[in-house]
Amino acid sequence: MNSLKQKILTEGKVLSDSVIKVDAFLNHQVDPTFMQLIGEEFSKRFTGSGITKVLTLESSGIAPAVMTGLSLGVPVVFARKHKSLTLHEQLYSAEVYSYTKQEANDIAVSKDYLDDHDRVLIIDDILANGQAALGMVNIIDQSGAALEGIGVVIEKGFQEGREVLRKHDIRVESLAAIESLSDGQVTFQTKEVLSQ
Ligand code: 5GP
């Protein structure tokens, strides 16, 4: 998605060889008009998959997920993060190791909002090592719902997320795939990584 790549180049800030800040339009300040285009693009890519629900993780995934749900005409559920979750029979829960915060959190979704009739599309802001995505996959498995795929706004292609998800046979669509953040420069993968 060229407009996204442009936005990353002009508004993103490379913090290190592995971390990019995209607070200006994605995960602190949100550009709603642009986010709507992102939602439409995900919706287009997953048209025909019979999606009944979009699942994301608070808080950074909510903006692109809501716009995707709007475009697909389906509800959006966001998994909640807790430092430590005591066992709760009304919740599906999983542990996720956070790449940016370097700590483990439990994430949880109420059993009221996901069940074995659902076909789920996971949407998230950034794919790094795939731990957030795997936590959501775990929750979908517990619910008995079908996972149709994962859409990420930005994929950091130099980290293992896509490979981890490929091993689970999961379709991954990213709208911009970064090859490198070395020397303070963003380089995109020249060829779009083919989805499965
Ligand atoms: P993963 O679980 O794939 O390792 O990391 C995914 C989550 O970590 C994303 O939802 C995102 O919030 C956060 N994250 C990972 N890498 C970056 C990054 O370079 N910049 C920002 N802003 N967040 C990141």
Side-chain angles (χ1 to χ4, degrees):
M1 199 177 166
N2 281 333
S3 54
L4 171 62
K5 289 181 183 166
Q6 207 52 47
K7 211 140 170 100
I8 294 169
L9 290 175
T10 53
E11 297 181 30
K13 291 197 174 78
V14 178
L15 295 189
S16 70
D17 281 2
S18 60
V19 177
I20 184 163
K21 199 170 167 188
V22 280
D23 282 12
F25 64 95
L26 184 57
N27 47 28
H28 190 11
Q29 174 172 259
V30 174
D31 177 339
T33 308
F34 184 66
M35 210 50 69
Q36 192 168 18
L37 295 178
I38 284 184
E40 286 166 2
E41 180 64 29
F42 281 132
S43 165
K44 204 164 72 189
R45 293 193 190 198
F46 286 94
T47 286
S49 299
I51 310 278
T52 64
K53 221 155 258 189
V54 173
L55 176 65
T56 190
L57 182 55
E58 68 173 358
S59 56
S60 307
I62 294 177
V66 166
M67 289 306 187
T68 306
L70 179 67
S71 195
L72 286 168
V74 300
V76 178
V77 178
F78 60 89
R80 295 191 149 155
K81 291 176 187 166
H82 302 262
K83 273 262 150 46
S84 165
L85 202 71
T86 42
L87 260 184
H88 194 312
E89 59 185 25
Q90 296 308 318
L91 299 173
Y92 307 116
S93 65
E95 194 181 79
V96 168
Y97 184 79
S98 162
Y99 177 77
T100 42
K101 300 200 175 100
Q102 310 228 320
E103 65 179 22
N105 279 294
D106 286 331
I107 65 168
V109 170
S110 165
K111 290 183 178 174
D112 288 342
Y113 305 126
L114 213 53
D115 65 33
D116 57 2
H117 295 100
D118 284 314
R119 298 167 79 101
V120 183
L121 170 61
I122 292 175
I123 295 289
D124 208 359
D125 60 338
I126 296 177
L127 177 65
N129 291 319
Q131 295 307 302
L134 279 185
M136 287 187 272
V137 171
N138 183 340
I139 279 179
I140 291 168
D141 285 347
Q142 290 172 44
S143 75
L147 172 61
E148 295 301 325
I150 300 183
V152 291
V153 181
I154 300 170
E155 170 184 357
K156 294 195 292 178
F158 53 88
Q159 289 181 261
E160 65 181 19
R162 179 173 286 266
E163 201 42 45
V164 164
L165 297 172
R166 200 197 307 274
K167 282 187 188 140
H168 286 75
D169 243 3
I170 296 167
R171 174 181 172 195
V172 179
E173 293 280 344
S174 66
L175 305 188
I178 294 175
E179 184 172 75
S180 157
L181 293 173
S182 298
D183 305 322
Q185 296 272 92
V186 181
T187 314
F188 293 103
Q189 289 178 353
T190 43
K191 275 185 264 161
E192 289 296 320
V193 178
L194 293 174
S195 55
Q196 291 177 303

